[in-house]
Amino acid sequence: MDERLQEHAEIIVDHCTRVEPDDNVLVQAPTEAEDLGVAVMEKLGDIGATATLNLGSSRASRAYQLAMDDDDWETPEHVLAMAKETDVSISIRADSNTFESSDVPPSTNQARQKEMRPLMDEMMDKRWLLTQYPAPGNAQDAEMSTEAYADFVFNAVNKDWDEQEAFQANMVEILDDADEVRIVSGDTTDVTMSVSGNPTKNDWAEHNLPGGEVFTAPQPESVEGEVLFDMPVMVQSREITNVRLVFEDGEVVEHSADKNEEVLTSVLETDEGAKRLGELGIGMNRDIDQFTYNMLFDEKMGDTVHMAIGRAYDDTVGEDNEVNQSAVHQDMIVDMSEDSRIEVDGEVVQRNGTFKFEDGFEDEA
């Protein structure tokens, strides 16, 4: 077995989820990621945890969704019961065909997401981890050979996370005491939001592997302005390009996209919370240096900002502030490498991708 898989498994179990011998652990992976599933299970066995590996199939999932009537979806109570007894949930992604579910109607995805909400809520209260296995389908999306994509994945995943945490802590310190954040990029993006009273999280691979971002939640009604998400986003196995959102009093009042706009519309219409922002994130993992059509990596890419419509994470919302609730959480990315800046309470803290605490910041002025 590739030694890098062993290291990946060790980071998952020891660093990300900190599994203990008395933990009940659920590992979920597609068949394409069985090798990483095996490495994780071996590590869990060494610790003495009680673990189960569920190998899934995107083809089976597609078949089930296409066969279901939209009115027949119900929360799977037997799965919810298992979730309630789970201490640690480890989810591994991998695809042989990332478009496998592209012909599942948006209405079906919308109905399914609503009924899966209780299960999602239960899992979010656990120690959970989402990571990636370098499968051929994902390599193809990234326009890489499988070998080159594996190198890319392991470089982003198997790294010194203590060092990454220290680097990101500089931005956490700036945002933690902030009131207003403004994101400007070219003449297509100028949006402001209040993050007052909401804590900023330092993602150094505790829930997502790779980690590499700092993120917080906007106050839902504070978002004003226009954003052009100039990097593509994959939603329901469909590519949406050049998403444009206009916010007034925190709510999306106009939206458009160059491709698959109807899918974007279906997401926004999922529920009331889907029309508001639930997250503002700043990518800081410089080992992720190219766009790969995989949000788990792309949102962490250096010189980017991402915003998510929908659900806000509870731990990014202050005790006295409103938590935006939704069945969806959809991240979208803005390239901040050129003609861009982040302002915090009127002060520029990042310019053209360079932070104020990095060498070269003044050269960008």
Side-chain angles (χ1 to χ4, degrees), residues 44 78 103 120 149 168 181 184 197 217 235 262 282 340 349 353 360:
L44 293 171
H78 61 300
D103 53 357
M120 181 175 67
Y149 184 65
Q168 294 174 181
V181 178
V184 180
V235 179
E262 71 280 1
I282 300 171
S340 301
V349 299

Side-chain angles (χ1 to χ4, degrees), residues 98-348:
T98 57
F99 290 88
E100 189 65 57
S101 300
S102 61
D103 53 357
V104 175
S107 61
T108 300
N109 282 293
Q110 186 177 2
R112 178 180 179 275
Q113 283 183 319
K114 287 182 177 179
E115 294 304 324
M116 290 296 175
R117 174 74 182 272
L119 182 60
M120 181 175 67
D121 289 344
E122 186 67 36
M123 283 302 190
M124 291 298 293
D125 286 337
K126 310 296 182 179
R127 277 173 284 153
W128 58 269
L129 184 278
L130 175 64
T131 193
Q132 178 74 42
Y133 175 82
N138 306 105
Q140 189 171 27
D141 280 353
E143 299 184 345
M144 299 182 191
S145 67
T146 305
E147 181 178 354
Y149 184 65
D151 291 341
F152 169 81
V153 168
F154 291 129
N155 284 340
V157 166
N158 296 341
K159 59 187 296 178
D160 186 336
W161 289 108
D162 290 327
E163 180 180 350
Q164 186 71 27
E165 180 193 28
F167 171 60
Q168 294 174 181
N170 295 292
M171 195 64 205
V172 172
E173 183 177 357
I174 292 171
L175 285 176
D176 254 349
D177 295 327
D179 180 8
E180 184 179 85
V181 178
R182 182 184 183 194
I183 309 295
V184 180
S185 183
D187 57 4
T188 57
T189 293
D190 191 344
V191 63
T192 60
M193 63 197 72
S194 174
V195 296
S196 179
N198 286 346
T200 305
K201 307 303 291 185
N202 189 337
D203 173 18
W204 59 304
E206 292 177 292
H207 291 303
N208 288 328
L209 183 62
E213 63 169 307
V214 300
F215 62 99
T216 186
Q219 292 198 21
E221 297 181 359
S222 72
V223 185
E224 298 282 346
E226 180 176 342
V227 186
L228 177 69
F229 297 98
D230 48 10
M231 291 189 177
V233 58
M234 295 298 294
V235 179
Q236 302 167 9
S237 295
R238 296 168 177 85
E239 180 187 33
I240 309 178
T241 58
N242 287 328
V243 171
R244 174 180 169 270
L245 301 179
V246 178
F247 292 89
E248 292 181 5
D249 297 325
E251 186 170 309
V252 175
V253 294
E254 293 180 31
H255 71 275
S256 64
D258 287 353
K259 182 179 180 181
N260 285 320
E261 183 178 317
E262 71 280 1
V263 180
L264 173 64
T265 300
S266 75
V267 173
L268 289 168
E269 292 178 348
T270 300
D271 49 41
E272 287 303 310
K275 297 180 179 68
R276 299 181 182 274
L277 283 188
E279 180 188 356
L280 168 67
I282 300 171
M284 300 183 69
N285 188 335
R286 293 275 165 74
D287 287 312
I288 303 173
D289 56 4
Q290 67 183 89
F291 184 79
T292 62
Y293 284 91
N294 185 335
M295 192 60 72
L296 184 61
F297 289 78
D298 297 337
E299 69 174 2
K300 319 298 191 332
M301 183 166 45
D303 307 344
T304 65
V305 161
H306 60 275
M307 304 173 209
I309 50 174
R311 179 191 178 114
Y313 298 119
D314 288 344
D315 58 357
T316 63
V317 179
E319 184 176 350
D320 297 326
N321 287 347
E322 178 187 355
V323 179
N324 195 51
Q325 301 286 355
S326 177
V328 303
H329 179 97
Q330 182 59 60
D331 294 291
M332 294 175 283
I333 303 172
V334 180
D335 181 359
M336 299 292 289
S337 61
E338 295 181 358
D339 194 20
S340 301
R341 67 185 185 273
I342 301 173
E343 298 178 11
V344 176
D345 294 330
E347 178 187 3
V348 177

Side-chain angles (χ1 to χ4, degrees), residues 20-31:
E20 300 291 340
D22 59 349
D23 283 334
N24 294 325
V25 184
L26 173 62
V27 183
Q28 301 184 88
T31 54

